[in-house]
Amino acid sequence: MSSSISTLPFDETALVTQAKAGDAVAFSDLVSHYERRVFRMAKQITQNEEDAEDVLQETFLKAYSHLDDFQGNSKFYTWLVRIAVNEALMKLRKRRSDKTVPLDEPIETGEDTVAREIAVWEDDPEQLYSRDELSEILNEAVQSLKPAYRTVFILRDIEELSIEETAQALNLSISAVKSRLLRARLQLREKLTRQFRRKGDDAFAYL
Amino acid sequence: MLTCKQFLQELNDFLDESTDPGLRSEIERHVNECPNCWVVCDTTRRTLKVFKGMEAQAVPADVQQRLVSAVQKKIAARQGKRPAAPIGQ
């Protein structure tokens, strides 16, 4: 699709207007611009390359079919994420229906919201790893979260939807999103602390 | 003075800068006086920063090619045409 990428600055609103008017190149530009992020999100949620590819295709095909339904009340990308997350969750449910925790599991009480790993980090831990190594560390950390927490974290903190948009996309209450997000953030902090803690520090120096 | 547990419950809103000013200064006071909570606050903030800085890698070429084909087919069907030359050419 590289032949269709416009050299003009990316203008989402203009491209969506053109695509709605039937401009195939404008729609292709939207696909080119967002395919990486949609694919990443699909992989992170489904944890499966094959499912992620299906999600990627279905997302853009559905977006194209339903372009007329997009009224511009949100950003186009937010609308796209909602389609993608629904597709990804369907895949996940299908694969996991009989063996793991459902996505709508009751949230836990506040008792598990504690910080166990207390250690300062290296100044710039990101600089200690290659891009691929860092990417692997972060992906592994995200994959280790329960699906219910992982999905909220991906939408809010990686795709940068608002709390309200995340709640809407996942059909959750605001308080459920906030509660899951806090657990996800604290669990990831713990995992990254094991990786990024300043070497030589006494683990109990702050206790 | 907030307890450490209360601080943790407020951490999300604090990092998202959506805490009201009164509570915000209470949280700041707690963080400045409690070394453990300072570390938790700092490392959680940096956790979010490192994830936000993560760039999405390119879609593998074969996956992208199948996506392009599927989209072109859909567009052609909508426009009542058979799939023809690649879009933009």
Side-chain angles (χ1 to χ4, degrees), chain A residues 133-183:
Chain A
E133 285 170 339
L134 186 65
S135 171
E136 200 179 320
I137 291 169
L138 299 183
N139 280 331
E140 268 179 26
V142 171
Q143 303 301 345
S144 72
L145 297 175
K146 287 182 184 175
Y149 299 165
R150 189 168 76 227
T151 318
V152 168
F153 180 79
I154 291 167
L155 263 57
R156 174 71 184 109
D157 284 333
I158 299 182
E159 298 308 327
E160 301 189 51
L161 268 60
S162 68
I163 294 279
E164 290 73 17
E165 288 165 345
T166 304
Q168 214 176 9
L170 297 172
N171 203 20
L172 289 172
S173 67
I174 299 274
S175 64
V177 167
K178 286 189 168 185
S179 160
R180 292 176 189 202
L181 185 64
L182 180 61
R183 281 166 183 76

Side-chain angles (χ1 to χ4, degrees), chain A residues 1 22 28 35-36 40 53 65 111 113 119 121-123 125-126 142 156-157 178 182 185 189 206, chain B residues 5 8 12-13 16 36 39 43-44 46-48 50-51 54 56 64 66 68 70 74 78-79 87:
Chain A
M1 199 164 285
S28 298
E35 61 185 18
R36 289 179 176 215
R40 174 177 68 177
E53 178 173 353
S65 300
E111 297 307 309
T113 317
W121 286 11
E122 297 281 0
D123 284 342
E126 301 96 314
V142 171
R156 174 71 184 109
D157 284 333
K178 286 189 168 185
L182 180 61
R185 287 175 169 183
R189 186 203 75 81
Y206 297 95
Chain B
K5 198 172 168 180
L8 267 188
N12 256 355
D13 286 347
D16 290 345
N36 277 1
V39 171
T43 51
T44 310
R46 290 170 71 180
T47 296
L48 301 186
V50 78
F51 275 103
M54 182 171 66
Q64 195 198 36
R66 289 191 288 271
V68 171
K74 185 88 175 176
R78 167 70 70 95
Q79 294 178 343
I87 296 160

Side-chain angles (χ1 to χ4, degrees), chain B:
Chain B
M1 177 81 175
L2 287 177
T3 63
C4 297
K5 198 172 168 180
Q6 287 170 324
F7 156 76
L8 267 188
Q9 293 301 331
E10 297 299 333
L11 180 60
N12 256 355
D13 286 347
F14 182 68
L15 294 176
D16 290 345
E17 299 187 351
S18 58
T19 312
D20 69 64
L23 185 55
R24 185 164 189 88
S25 52
E26 272 193 66
I27 296 169
E28 280 165 355
R29 197 177 330 135
H30 179 87
V31 168
N32 288 329
E33 291 171 6
C34 175
N36 277 1
C37 288
W38 183 90
V39 171
V40 170
C41 186
D42 178 63
T43 51
T44 310
R45 179 180 284 129
R46 290 170 71 180
T47 296
L48 301 186
K49 186 170 161 257
V50 78
F51 275 103
K52 283 192 204 313
M54 182 171 66
E55 273 183 34
Q57 290 171 356
V59 176
D62 57 330
V63 174
Q64 195 198 36
Q65 190 47 53
R66 289 191 288 271
L67 171 66
V68 171
S69 301
V71 169
Q72 286 181 347
K73 202 170 153 192
K74 185 88 175 176
I75 291 174
R78 167 70 70 95
Q79 294 178 343
K81 291 186 290 190
R82 293 176 63 79
I87 296 160
Q89 290 189 352

Side-chain angles (χ1 to χ4, degrees), chain A residues 54-73:
Chain A
D54 287 348
V55 170
L56 177 71
Q57 285 196 12
E58 280 304 312
T59 299
F60 285 110
L61 296 181
K62 283 200 173 165
Y64 185 74
S65 300
H66 295 277
L67 261 186
D68 288 341
D69 298 339
F70 176 69
Q71 301 295 324
N73 296 326

Side-chain angles (χ1 to χ4, degrees), chain A residues 63-91:
Chain A
Y64 185 74
S65 300
H66 295 277
L67 261 186
D68 288 341
D69 298 339
F70 176 69
Q71 301 295 324
N73 296 326
S74 65
K75 284 184 199 155
F76 178 74
Y77 183 63
T78 307
W79 184 72
L80 204 57
V81 165
R82 289 178 64 182
I83 298 174
V85 80
N86 280 328
E87 293 295 320
L89 291 179
M90 274 196 290
K91 289 281 182 194

Side-chain angles (χ1 to χ4, degrees), chain A residues 39-61:
Chain A
F39 191 57
R40 174 177 68 177
M41 188 178 69
K43 272 199 299 191
Q44 285 172 331
I45 295 177
T46 64
Q47 300 187 59
N48 178 291
E49 290 269 342
E50 199 182 313
D51 284 350
E53 178 173 353
D54 287 348
V55 170
L56 177 71
Q57 285 196 12
E58 280 304 312
T59 299
F60 285 110
L61 296 181

